Structure formats: C-alpha cells, structure tokens
C-alpha cells in the first residue's frame, strides 16, 4: 500500500497579521489586500492543494474580536485535517492559542506569523512558515506557537514586545 | 530552574549546494563565495550563536568525493550538540544521508538544501531551513531529509530529478 | 587629456520619503532608520563616492516644514557639483521643486522618490534612481521630477494621488 | 492641445543577456525562459503598453550570430518609434551597438543590460533599465550604452571584463 503524503493531513487557516501585510502605495501605509500564503508555498515548492488554504480573516491581531477568535476556533474544529497551521498576527497570537487550547481539539494546531511582512525583502515569514510545516507534521495533538526558530507549547510562551521575539515564560 | 533553549542543542554544518550559490558577475556564472546561512538566520530572527555555524565545504554536491563525505561524517560525530542541521546540495543529499546513517550517530541529523539559491528572490532556501529547524528539534535520533515541506527518513526518500522534488520511495 | 567621468559631477541629497522607509518590527510600522541610497548605488554598480551622498533629512514629505525646505535649497546652492539628485517623498515633491526653482540655481536638479519603499521586494525605487541618474547627466540647468519612467520640468507636473502616479498638468 | 506622453515614443527590444536569465531548478543552471522586462516595468510603475515590448531573441550575447545582429538592426529600423531601448547581454553589447550605428538609424537607440540577473535579489537590472529610460527620452539620435549609472556614446565605451564594469575608452 502506498505511503500517505503527510502534507495531505495539513490545512492552513489564514487570519492576517504582519506576515500578510502589503504596502499600499496610494495610502502610503501597510494594509491587507489578500493572503500571500499561496505564493509562499509555491516559492517553497510545497504542493499543498489550494483548497487546503482557507482565509478566515485578514486582520491585524490587535483588532481581533472575541467573535473573530470564535471563527478561528470553529474553523479549527470543523477542519477534516488533523494538522492545522494558523497564520496570525504576533501581538495576540498567544491569546488565540489559549482560546484554541480551551476547545481541546484532537488536532495539532501550530500558530505562526512574522515580525516583518513577506512583501519585504528581509522577511522572516518564509522561514517561519517552514518551521510551522515541520512542527505541524511532527508534533502530537495540542496547540503550539512557532516563531524565532523555536516551537513553544501555547502555555509557556509570551511575546517580548520590547525585543520583538517570542520567548519561554519558564526562563 | 530555567528551561533550556532547545536552539542551543543545534549545530549547523555547511557543505555548500544550491542554497549557497551566488552569482559571479565577472564570470557570469553561479559559484560559491561564502555561506549565506548566517544571513538567513538573522533574517529569520533566530539567535543561533555564530560559532554553532560550521562551514565544512562549499561544493556542488555532484562534486563531493568520498573524502568529503567522510569530513561531513566526522564533523557530525565530533559535534557536541545532539541536533545537527546539514546544508547540502540536493543531487547527492540522499547518498550523504546514507553514509551518515551508517555511522549510527546518537543524534538527530537533518539534511536540507534548496532547489533555487538563497540569492534569488524566489528561493525556497529560507522555508527549507525553517522546516529543518522544526525537524531537528522535534525528531528523535536518526538521519532525515527536509525538502518540499516534508521530512523524510533517509532510507525512504529519493530526488525526482525530472520534477525537481524529493519524494518518498514508498509511493 | 583624460575624459571626465560625468558621475563625478553628481551629488545626491537625501531628504527621506517612501523610498527610504524601513519596517520596524517592534513598532509594526514603517519608519526611517537610515538612508538606503548607498546600498542602492552599490547594487546598481555605480561608483559614486560615499562623500557625495549627503543626508539632509529623513522625513515623510508631508512632515516637511518651510525650514526643512530651506535646508534643502541651501544644500543645493552650496553643493560644488552641477548635477544634483534629491531623494524626496512624493506627496510634496512638486512643492519642494517649486521652492528650488525659485532660487534659480545654475544646476541640474532632479527630484526622485518611490511609491513603494526600497525595502519591499517590489519597489520602484531602484528604477527611479536609475532614471534620475540618466536625467541628471543629460538635462540642462533647471529643476525636474523623475517618476514613473518620465522626466517632468517642475512646473508641468503633479502627483495624481488617487492613481498614485505623476502626470503632466498639460494633459 | 494635449502634450504627448514621451513614453509613447519608446519601443523596447528584448534580445536576452544576463538581465533576463532565470534559474532553472531542474538543470541547476541559469537559462532563459521568458523576458522579465514586462514585470520590471510594472514594478517600476511605468505604463509602457505591452505591445511596445518586442522579444527578438533570448540569448547570451556571446552566442549572438551575425544573423542575430541583423535581426536586431532590422527591428530597430522597422520600429515606428523614435526612441529604442534594447536589452542585451553585456559581453558583446558594444559590437551590436557598432552594427546598429553603421545603419545610421534616425533614432535614439540605447543598449542596456545587467551584470546580475533581475531574478537575483541584488540585481542591477532595474536601475539600469531606469537609466536607459532616462537616456532614451533625453538623448538625440545616435547609439548609446547605458550601464553603471553612465551613458556612453557607442564609439567610446568598452566593457572591462576583469572589473565587470563599462568604462570610457578615453580614460
């Protein structure tokens, strides 16, 4: 029997955040037009079917409401796949992770974002997405955050806003 | 007691390959000048100490000799860390993985490369390096290949040269 | 007698604007840290001596005061070179051009900027700077704006903010 | 009467060269697939109609035959526009310029290329194309080379292959 391609067990839920911000030349500001995740996966030469990429929201995570988080939780629960990668703004990523964990989904859920938008030439987004792909495939059920080359269980991570990095609360 | 940062268990061994190729304007060809891995990790906002990045070779993997592979194996064995990421050309990545596996190192060894050099704007290198970081931290001892968003044990992977992707030999 | 390299007649005055904006990961916003013009000229393989690049200001052009414009005018007058390229935000580029023209400098002055910061992978900044280099070397004394592949005398150009392009007032 | 947009007087003839080289992941080499000039002009926010971009050849300029150069000359003569930009490999750019000059076209012809392909993140191609746009619009009839931030009449320029720059033969 042919071995299953584990990529087929992955669904990618897009919620916005820095990773997906674009520069709007007319406004002179960063804003959302559409997700870059499909372009990122093409660049990464990953063959995740387009229908597995689901855009739930395109919001700065500081603007997420409780209703938005519920949308994310419901999509995570409803997904037929067991491995979920959720792109998310970094400022409230841990809050959403906590909400997801409270739902106790029998799935591996990896939240990931970027400190610099993918549209910038020096973005960390592509690396982080790769990290999340590794984490989603290898971790057991649970909710995790993948940032700065590390993978954190949701309950031991915080964003250090002054330094712009995610760190363990245990140290 | 403070939790250990798992990144500190990682050593990165550079051997060259497409990921590190640069364009030489005078020659009009791709060649090696120095590794881009340090710049890549800085872009990824990963704080791996510079001394953990060890350049063994800068070669196209088609040009690797048996002596070169022995250099790679010895460096893997000698490394004090238990998590090794080895950047490597894709054409003979699986051969080197096999050689490494024969040494049975009590370490997690992840080989990674790129189909498009990091110096190109559409490189898969940064994503792949992120994938390898995830894999190295989460996998048990053994030798693995991280490419195309997937992580393969060394003995079930091959490069499909016609399509330019790594695939499982089991399917 | 050796022919003079016309690049030696060029001085580059930096005032800020979109072309020089960087992404600040901690603030999550675009801001100025330092000019990218030197890196741009290195990328362009242009050998303008570093001392010919003079940073006067690093401001969004909507924030320029009359005093700032006077600084720009005085620097233009004081410059020993006869060919000046001034990087400038697009929103009030034409206003500064008008102020410069009123001083009637016996020099070729080319104002240039970008609609997308150089730090974005799809920036127009590098092209525009090339356009300005061509214009500065070939035009007679006067004040000009180089944007969107075109070169406009200062008195017949306006920014069409809705479309994000510079256009001739004569059409 | 409305002023004419001088961009409308420009035609862009593509012949290949480093500027248009792409990385072929399967071959592991640089090669031509299609021209990047249209993408470059879009990035530059220049509204040259697509039909004004004419791909004559996609060749390394070392591989150009006399017949190829005749194709370029005939296209230059046949063009209804008076301002021609020709993208060309750098190694024999001056030879083609000489052939074009011998035809004495009553047009401004600017040859331009790149030392680093546009597909690399540190390419000079976009700057050079901007320089050529400035030169084509401002120069009188004649044949010119636009490289390294400079504009040279065809008969006083040579490529310094050791340094990878174009320089005046007069110095």
């Amino acid at each position: 029997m042919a071995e299953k391609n584990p990529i087929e067990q992955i669904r990618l839920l897009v919620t916005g955040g820095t990773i997906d911000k674009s520069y709007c030349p007319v406004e002179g500001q960063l804003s959302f037009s559409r997700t870059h995740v499909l372009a990122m996966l093409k660049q990464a030469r990953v063959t995740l079917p387009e229908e597995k990429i689901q855009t739930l929201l395109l919001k700065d995570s500081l603007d997420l409401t409780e209703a938005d988080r519920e949308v994310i939780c419901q999509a995570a629960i409803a997904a037929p796949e067991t491995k979920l990668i959720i792109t998310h703004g970094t400022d409230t990523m841990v809050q959403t992770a906590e909400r997801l964990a409270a739902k106790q989904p029998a799935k591996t859920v990896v939240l990931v974002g970027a400190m610099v938008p993918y549209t910038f030439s020096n973005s960390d987004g592509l690396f982080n997405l790769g990290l999340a792909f590794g984490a989603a495939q290898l971790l057991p059920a649970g909710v995790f955050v993948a940032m700065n080359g590390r993978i954190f269980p949701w309950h031991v991570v915080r964003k250090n806003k002054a330094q712009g990095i995610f760190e363990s609360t245990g140290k």
Side-chain angles (χ1 to χ4, degrees), chain A:
Chain A
M1 205 189 83
E3 195 197 342
K4 223 26 185 312
N5 179 344
I7 296 261
E8 288 165 20
Q9 274 309 306
I10 295 177
R11 175 168 292 263
L12 210 150
L13 303 176
V14 171
T15 76
T18 293
I19 197 168
D20 260 340
K21 285 190 181 165
S22 298
Y23 186 74
C24 172
V26 172
E27 296 296 325
Q29 289 183 351
L30 294 166
S31 59
F32 296 106
S33 51
R34 51 186 176 72
T35 182
H36 302 297
V37 166
L38 193 63
M40 293 169 81
L41 292 180
K42 196 180 164 198
Q43 179 174 343
R45 311 179 78 81
V46 174
T47 53
L48 190 71
E50 198 168 337
E51 64 269 21
K52 299 280 188 112
I53 302 170
Q54 190 178 342
T55 300
L56 303 176
L57 303 160
L58 280 176
K59 282 194 172 184
D60 189 307
S61 79
L62 289 172
D63 298 333
L64 288 181
T65 63
E66 285 310 296
D68 290 331
R69 283 190 227 280
E70 191 59 29
V71 165
I72 298 169
C73 288
Q74 291 310 321
I77 291 163
E81 294 82 4
T82 59
K83 306 289 192 175
L84 305 181
I85 295 169
I86 304 181
T87 61
H88 198 287
T90 58
D91 283 322
T92 70
M93 188 183 279
V94 178
Q95 277 174 248
T96 300
E98 186 175 359
R99 275 286 291 269
L100 281 158
K103 305 280 183 181
Q104 297 188 284
K107 295 172 181 173
T108 307
V109 182
V110 179
L111 289 101
V112 68
M115 292 303 293
V116 176
Y118 172 65
T119 48
F120 277 78
S121 46
N122 70 329
S123 173
D124 54 335
L126 203 62
F127 179 96
N128 296 350
L129 192 59
L131 181 73
F133 259 74
Q137 291 174 73
L138 298 173
L139 285 166
V143 180
F144 303 88
V145 164
M147 287 294 291
N148 299 106
R150 297 179 64 178
I151 299 123
F152 305 91
W154 71 271
H155 60 285
V156 298
V157 63
R158 68 171 162 234
K159 181 178 174 186
N160 179 327
K161 295 204 185 195
Q163 291 181 39
I165 57 166
F166 281 75
E167 61 189 15
S168 174
T169 53
K171 55 180 314 194

